[in-house]
Amino acid sequence: MALPPFQTFLDRHAAELLRFLVATIGREEAEDCFQETCLAALRAYPALAPDSNVRAWAFTIARSKAIDAQRARARRPVPVPESPDRPTFDALDDSGAWGPLAALPPKQRAAVFLRVAAELSHHEVARVLDCSEEAARRSAHEGLKRLREELA
Amino acid sequence: MSDVAVREGVERASRLGGAADVGGALRRFTERALDEDLVDVAYAATDSPLGELLLAVTAQGVVRVAYIDENMGRDEVLEDLARRVSPRVLEAPNRLDEARRQLEDYFSGRRPAFDLSVDLSLVTPFTDRVLTRTAAIPPGQVLTYGEVAAEIGHQRAARAVGNALGSNPIPIVVPCHRVVRSGGGLGGYTGGTHRKEHLLGLERGDAARR
């Protein structure tokens, strides 16, 4: 058993990694984050055990790059919004984006995407979010509950 | 409200604007990966009169030219490169521009020989010697398996030379098709004898006379 070519990894996972980043940090920053994720993955790839859970590994890298981007954003001076009630999270005002998901706390947003769109197990979500399985379960549950309320 | 609606919302929120965006993001990533020297094997597919070819280069040079057909799939070739060279294998057509251009010129008769560095790290030392000698046979000429064997100092190794040529990872560019049987027979070829015939014909100028 050997690692597949990195291109195969991209063919399989690039689209969902980009979508995960769009859903978690918004489309404006998603592409930069995607580049960083893929570069980090490519750097680390040869050392990956061929039988590892490549998908969870990839989401874990994306998650950590998303957190880096969030921290960088938090450090940047906040521009005075043109309209004060305009939400700061860019996915909110982008056409095609979905407000209620963007309104969730980051961890719940990531947990919901990973459970609902990527269909990872709670165990895998816990790994990606670097928390206990119980906490992962709770994040997804809370997030979904709020979304259902939002939609009701 | 149903989970279907929640699911649809999540899917919608994660869409960047269609598949085109993934393609663009991937192209920009590939450029950056090349800039940062993170790509150990760059490959591209190209068409030729002999069918689809897969070309791959390392920092040393062309490491693989493969005939892609029902006998040899693209995935098989790439998996082999990942296993034997490095799993950092990326489709990066820009890196293959020069090789593709030279192949195009070769097949159209504008260029008799290649000016490309090659990476023979996939082959054994014996095969390396056979291929290095073979690479020096001028276009339009042929040697026999026995002659190549003799020239590298292994008089009786005609069969081993045949096997070594059969394992040539860089056909066309390293012209293993220029080695034939002593009785006038064509001998075998990694891509099938019809391809060997075509290449030898091309180098004799058959294409120009056609």
Side-chain angles (χ1 to χ4, degrees):
Chain A
M1 177 131 182
L3 279 170
F6 193 75
Q7 186 65 49
T8 305
F9 163 85
L10 289 178
D11 293 344
R12 285 180 191 154
H13 305 296
E16 66 180 2
L17 287 173
L18 184 56
R19 296 186 57 195
F20 170 67
L21 291 165
V22 171
T24 51
I25 57 165
R27 47 198 295 178
E28 220 155 81
E29 284 177 280
E31 158 132 11
D32 275 353
C33 237
F34 173 78
Q35 308 285 346
E36 295 304 324
T37 299
C38 292
L39 286 169
L42 179 55
R43 274 193 202 97
Y45 192 62
L48 190 66
D51 58 351
S52 46
N53 185 337
V54 178
R55 212 162 156 237
W57 172 78
F59 276 123
T60 306
I61 297 173
R63 165 75 178 157
S64 111
K65 295 299 172 188
I67 288 173
D68 289 351
Q70 276 155 7
R71 285 189 185 137
R73 182 167 50 195
R75 279 196 301 272
R76 277 198 297 273
V78 182
V80 181
E82 285 173 27
S83 137
D85 27 296
R86 194 182 146 131
T88 49
F89 186 70
D90 55 19
L92 280 174
D93 47 73
D94 245 319
S95 58
W98 193 51
L101 183 70
L104 294 180
K107 192 172 174 184
Q108 288 182 18
R109 208 186 303 144
V112 167
F113 178 91
L114 292 170
R115 274 298 289 164
V116 173
E119 297 182 323
L120 294 192
S121 68
H122 287 296
H123 178 75
E124 290 170 315
V125 176
R127 200 187 133 186
V128 175
L129 299 183
D130 192 23
C131 64
S132 70
E133 204 169 315
E134 185 43 42
R137 206 180 280 273
R138 209 163 43 237
S139 287
H141 179 78
E142 286 295 315
L144 282 170
K145 198 173 126 201
R146 281 173 69 168
L147 291 180
R148 287 188 200 105
E149 284 163 9
E150 204 66 50
L151 285 167
Chain B
M1 186 41 82
S2 74
D3 278 0
V4 174
V6 171
R7 183 184 301 272
E8 276 170 8
V10 172
E11 303 259 333
R12 198 161 64 237
S14 66
R15 231 166 275 142
L16 194 59
D21 289 302
V22 183
L26 279 174
R27 270 193 301 281
R28 287 184 285 277
F29 157 69
T30 302
E31 285 309 308
R32 284 189 63 184
L34 289 170
D35 283 351
E36 298 191 20
D37 283 332
L38 290 172
V39 183
D40 296 332
V41 181
Y43 74 89
T46 191
D47 283 327
S48 83
L50 297 180
E52 184 185 337
L53 299 175
L54 189 135
L55 314 175
V57 294
T58 65
Q60 275 71 53
V62 181
V63 72
R64 190 80 173 91
V65 173
Y67 292 111
I68 302 302
D69 55 21
E70 63 280 2
N71 298 317
M72 179 71 84
R74 195 194 269 230
D75 289 349
E76 201 181 322
V77 175
L78 296 175
E79 277 159 23
D80 183 60
L81 288 166
R83 195 167 48 241
R84 293 167 69 198
V85 184
S86 159
R88 286 183 182 145
V89 177
L90 269 188
E91 183 167 14
N94 293 351
R95 278 285 287 274
L96 283 302
D97 277 351
E98 181 58 27
R100 283 195 295 183
R101 203 174 48 77
Q102 291 197 20
L103 278 162
E104 212 171 283
D105 288 351
Y106 169 80
F107 279 115
S108 64
R110 289 192 297 270
R111 159 188 284 279
F114 295 95
D115 180 20
L116 295 167
S117 45
V118 295
D119 179 348
L120 285 174
S121 58
L122 286 179
V123 308
T124 63
F126 178 76
T127 299
D128 190 326
R129 291 176 62 196
V130 171
L131 294 180
T132 301
R133 176 61 193 93
T134 301
I137 307 172
Q141 296 182 26
V142 293
L143 287 183
T144 65
Y145 295 104
E147 285 167 340
V148 173
E151 290 211 18
I152 61 165
H154 292 268
Q155 299 295 341
R156 314 169 98 89
R159 185 177 291 271
V161 165
N163 290 338
L165 291 168
S167 70
N168 178 13
I170 320 170
I172 309 176
V173 174
V174 174
C176 56
H177 57 274
R178 292 181 199 147
V179 186
V180 297
R181 283 237 196 92
S182 53
L186 209 52
Y189 186 61
T190 136
T193 48
H194 65 290
R195 287 187 169 120
K196 188 168 189 173
E197 215 152 3
H198 182 107
L199 293 171
L200 291 172
L202 176 76
E203 294 178 358
R204 281 193 307 265
D206 290 3
R209 283 200 297 274
R210 195 165 51 202

